């Protein structure tokens, strides 16, 4: 089927998220948008530029005497954080470019559901489909239907928007809320699936569609005693038609339960909340959509941001990490090779500089991967420490969009998008 005509008002794939968001909010105020699970007060707050600070919800409670995560979580690989599991960076040493499935971090709002592909259906519905009323005549695909469509494979990272959050407190003395991730809420995999664009067009995409909202099949999320429903987050249609996948394989295997089996959304280079796991339905809307996950959560609030909060978070920021445990020990006078990885949501990694003396001097690292969008580059640098005692290793990346990691990250109340150079403590003895 040929692509539908694109109305002149539709944003391009290089989205100006702030302008797009403001237009959506104005449409809501005019009665031309719909907010699912979001209060009128909240939307008016965002639109009217009044001060807003909202705490990130605490991790969901695990099932009694059971783990909310299905796969084993050996302590040498993971730090358990409620319903989540953070990968230890030392566990990635020597694993290759792609993160092994068994070592990939887990970000859950509730408990991993164990689903059967034979029973799974993907339901597409909404007034953004041709001849489909908002509440009726859905179009469905089962697992075999999806796998029968042309498949694509893409290497891409998935990263929680709060990755690095703990450093706002430990390096910058800022108070933030949310899970205290260090740098292990990220992983790169080789994903295989079908283009969301192909599925939308087969379902009968209307030329008037503007937003697409995937929703997961995990349990409803409860925050402050209120159910916010199942996790869902709108995507602008321009992004949905660009590079988004409905993935059913991860590193050559069916998706593991914890990573979205049988099918998940993959939104390359965007914050992880966009890549909805266990996707069960997708609303295709001719009206702008809002959910708690692009209004209350996943915006930037605080003194360094607009009073009404930033636009919903989209592209990830830039980061670097050493494949080392905190407090790792090195022998004085001996040669060592330090390894690490850097990544960015704006492009490939063009350069990495490393300091082994706490930031006094810098030298370039050797890159082991060519700059590629949507994934990280591995790097290494040699080091022969000459002085005993405690010191810090620092790595600072520059991407192909000429973004470079700053010394200090602009704080926000929920601790998203930490991008500053991290001071990695080590000891020389």
């Amino acid at each position: 089927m040929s692509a539908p005509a694109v109305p002149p008002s539709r944003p391009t794939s290089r989205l100006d998220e702030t302008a797009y968001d403001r237009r959506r909010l104005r449409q809501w105020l005019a009665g031309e948008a719909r907010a699912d699970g979001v209060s009128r007060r909240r939307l008016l707050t965002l639109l009217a530029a009044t001060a807003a600070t909202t705490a990130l919800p605490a991790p969901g409670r695990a099932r009694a005497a059971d783990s909310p995560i299905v796969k084993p979580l050996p302590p040498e690989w993971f730090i358990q954080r409620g319903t989540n599991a953070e990968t230890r960076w030392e566990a990635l040493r020597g694993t290759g470019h792609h993160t092994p499935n068994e070592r990939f971090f887990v970000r859950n709002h509730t408990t991993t559901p164990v689903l059967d592909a034979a029973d799974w259906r993907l339901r597409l519905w909404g007034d953004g489909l041709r001849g489909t009323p908002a509440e009726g005549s859905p179009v469905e695909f089962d697992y075999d239907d999806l796998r029968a469509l042309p498949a694509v494979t893409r290497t891409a990272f998935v990263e929680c928007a709060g990755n690095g959050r703990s450093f706002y407190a430990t390096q910058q003395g800022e108070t933030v809320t949310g899970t205290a991730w260090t740098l292990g809420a990220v992983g790169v995999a080789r994903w295989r699936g079908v283009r969301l664009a192909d599925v939308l067009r087969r379902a009968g995409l209307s030329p008037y569609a503007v937003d697409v909202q995937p929703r997961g099949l995990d349990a409803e999320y409860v925050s402050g005693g209120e159910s916010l429903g199942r996790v869902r987050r709108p995507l602008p249609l321009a992004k949905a038609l660009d590079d988004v996948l409905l993935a059913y394989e991860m590193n050559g295997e069916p998706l593991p339960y914890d990573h979205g089996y049988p099918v998940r959304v993959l939104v390359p280079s965007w914050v992880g909340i966009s890549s909805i796991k266990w996707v069960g339905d997708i609303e295709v809307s001719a009206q702008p959509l809002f959910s708690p996950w692009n209004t209350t959560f996943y915006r930037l609030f605080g003194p360094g941001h607009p009073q009404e909060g930033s636009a919903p978070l989209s592209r990830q920021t830039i980061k670097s990490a050493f494949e080392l445990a905190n407090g790792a020990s090195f022998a004085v006078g001996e040669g060592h090779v330090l390894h690490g990885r850097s990544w960015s949501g704006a492009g490939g990694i063009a350069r990495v500089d490393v300091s082994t003396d706490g930031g006094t001097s810098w030298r370039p690292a050797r890159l082991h991967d060519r700059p590629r969008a949507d994934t990280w580059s591995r790097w290494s640098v040699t080091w022969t420490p000459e002085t005993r005692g405690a010191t810090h290793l620092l790595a600072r990346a520059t991407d192909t969009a000429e973004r470079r990691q700053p010394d200090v990250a602009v704080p926000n109340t929920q601790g998203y998008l930490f991008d500053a150079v991290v001071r990695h403590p080590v000891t020389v003895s």
Side-chain angles (χ1 to χ4, degrees), residues 200-249:
L200 290 170
R201 286 166 179 150
R202 285 176 181 264
L205 186 65
S206 162
Y208 302 105
V210 295
D211 274 1
V212 171
Q213 182 165 252
R215 178 167 47 184
L217 290 169
D218 44 341
E220 292 187 359
Y221 183 68
V222 177
S223 176
E226 177 188 2
S227 174
L228 301 180
R230 289 175 170 164
V231 179
R232 62 204 180 278
R233 192 171 195 260
L235 279 174
L237 185 66
K239 179 64 174 176
L241 295 179
D242 183 17
D243 57 358
V244 178
L245 293 188
L246 295 174
Y248 47 72
E249 287 184 9

Side-chain angles (χ1 to χ4, degrees), residues 99-122:
T99 308
N101 293 354
E102 63 272 15
R103 303 190 191 198
F104 209 99
F105 85 102
V106 179
R107 169 65 172 106
N108 282 355
H109 278 74
T110 56
T111 296
T112 295
V114 176
L115 306 175
D116 187 339
D119 298 328
W120 176 85
R121 300 291 184 274
L122 176 64

Side-chain angles (χ1 to χ4, degrees), residues 64-355:
D66 198 6
S67 171
I69 296 171
V70 171
K71 69 183 179 182
L73 301 173
E76 64 270 23
W77 290 354
F78 291 102
I79 303 167
Q80 290 189 248
R81 302 190 184 280
T83 57
N84 310 306
E86 177 173 357
T87 303
R88 295 184 184 274
W89 270 93
E90 61 268 31
L92 295 183
R93 180 73 187 95
T95 56
H97 189 89
H98 299 96
T99 308
N101 293 354
E102 63 272 15
R103 303 190 191 198
F104 209 99
F105 85 102
V106 179
R107 169 65 172 106
N108 282 355
H109 278 74
T110 56
T111 296
T112 295
V114 176
L115 306 175
D116 187 339
D119 298 328
W120 176 85
R121 300 291 184 274
L122 176 64
R123 178 176 176 266
L124 288 93
W125 61 282
D127 57 8
L129 297 177
R130 285 192 177 95
T132 305
E135 300 298 333
S137 306
V139 179
E140 289 193 348
F141 295 79
D142 64 22
Y143 192 66
D144 290 337
D145 292 335
L146 208 66
R147 293 189 66 100
L149 296 176
V152 296
T153 301
R154 179 169 290 128
T155 289
F157 69 80
V158 173
E159 181 183 14
C160 179
N163 195 28
R165 176 183 283 123
S166 66
F167 299 111
Y168 280 114
T170 60
Q171 286 194 182
Q172 300 185 186
E174 304 283 349
T175 299
V176 297
T177 59
T179 301
W181 302 105
T182 53
L183 287 174
V186 63
V188 167
R190 187 175 65 256
W191 309 94
R192 181 175 172 84
V194 302
R195 295 178 180 87
L196 177 56
D198 291 346
V199 172
L200 290 170
R201 286 166 179 150
R202 285 176 181 264
L205 186 65
S206 162
Y208 302 105
V210 295
D211 274 1
V212 171
Q213 182 165 252
R215 178 167 47 184
L217 290 169
D218 44 341
E220 292 187 359
Y221 183 68
V222 177
S223 176
E226 177 188 2
S227 174
L228 301 180
R230 289 175 170 164
V231 179
R232 62 204 180 278
R233 192 171 195 260
L235 279 174
L237 185 66
K239 179 64 174 176
L241 295 179
D242 183 17
D243 57 358
V244 178
L245 293 188
L246 295 174
Y248 47 72
E249 287 184 9
M250 180 179 180
N251 291 328
E253 301 175 358
L255 285 174
Y257 290 121
D258 295 305
H259 301 292
Y261 182 84
V263 178
R264 71 173 298 163
V265 179
L266 176 72
V267 184
S269 287
W270 281 35
V271 292
I273 187 62
S274 305
S275 295
I276 298 293
K277 296 192 286 187
W278 315 292
V279 62
D281 75 271
I282 300 175
E283 179 178 2
V284 186
S285 178
Q287 308 171 75
L289 297 174
F290 298 92
S291 86
W293 285 271
N294 74 335
T295 54
T296 300
F297 314 133
Y298 301 100
R299 291 177 182 251
L300 304 181
F301 297 101
H305 305 284
Q307 284 188 305
E308 74 277 15
S310 72
L313 302 186
S314 55
R315 289 192 176 275
Q316 263 292 0
T317 188
I318 185 170
K319 294 187 181 72
S320 299
F322 287 90
E323 295 174 352
L324 283 175
N326 275 356
S329 182
F330 295 87
V332 69
E334 293 186 10
H336 303 276
V337 180
L338 305 174
H339 294 265
R341 308 184 190 212
S342 299
W343 62 99
S344 170
I349 297 298
R351 180 186 177 95
V352 176
D353 294 292
V354 172
S355 173

